[in-house]
Amino acid sequence: QVQLVESGGGLVQAGGSLRLSCAVTVSTRPFSTYVTGWFRQAPGKEREFVASTDWSGRTTYYADSVKGRFTISRDNAKKTVDLQMNSLKAEDTAVYYCNLKYGSAWRSSWGQGTQVTVSS
């Protein structure tokens, strides 16, 4: 079983920063065997990919819209995945979710997410 608990969201002014964290509980296989990622869903829009990292944390991918502003990292010992968000824009406003991937597909179930609101 897998449990994902996101935290760290809040209200911030444009240009500000937030750091999101995801605490992962896994019982089926080691956390380090998963690719980890962050997604977001803005009101009225579909959920979209934000960033991901491989098991080592050294290989990362970002959506073009956040590249250069967001940084994903993970701690395999603590089983956490963080997302440092800098230079936030109003269009970053969304509920942010973390997820895990083993093989080719992200898990179909999601945590409760954490709300990020950027005021312009």
Side-chain angles (χ1 to χ4, degrees):
Q1 289 208 350
V2 177
Q3 184 178 19
L4 308 169
V5 179
E6 300 93 343
S7 62
L11 173 63
V12 64
Q13 288 189 334
S17 298
L18 281 175
R19 188 176 183 90
L20 307 183
S21 187
C22 175
V24 180
T25 303
V26 289
S27 61
T28 51
R29 56 178 57 88
F31 173 70
S32 60
T33 63
Y34 289 96
V35 170
T36 54
W38 283 93
F39 294 75
R40 67 187 181 186
Q41 187 167 19
K45 296 187 177 181
E46 292 190 355
R47 189 173 287 152
E48 65 176 0
F49 170 81
V50 174
S52 68
T53 181
D54 72 347
W55 69 274
S56 70
R58 291 191 291 268
T59 300
T60 56
Y61 297 95
Y62 296 93
D64 288 343
S65 58
V66 306
K67 205 171 292 184
R69 300 187 297 122
F70 291 10
T71 303
I72 188 172
S73 60
R74 64 187 287 168
D75 186 324
N76 288 334
K78 295 181 180 179
K79 299 181 184 177
T80 57
V81 188
D82 289 354
L83 185 69
Q84 177 65 43
M85 306 186 297
N86 298 328
S87 302
L88 283 162
K89 305 175 181 180
E91 50 263 44
D92 295 319
T93 295
V95 178
Y96 283 71
Y97 303 86
C98 64
N99 207 340
L100 309 178
K101 181 167 68 172
Y102 186 81
S104 60
W106 294 96
R107 294 182 65 254
S108 59
S109 61
W110 301 81
Q112 85 287 349
T114 186
Q115 175 72 48
V116 172
T117 303
V118 184
S119 63
S120 57

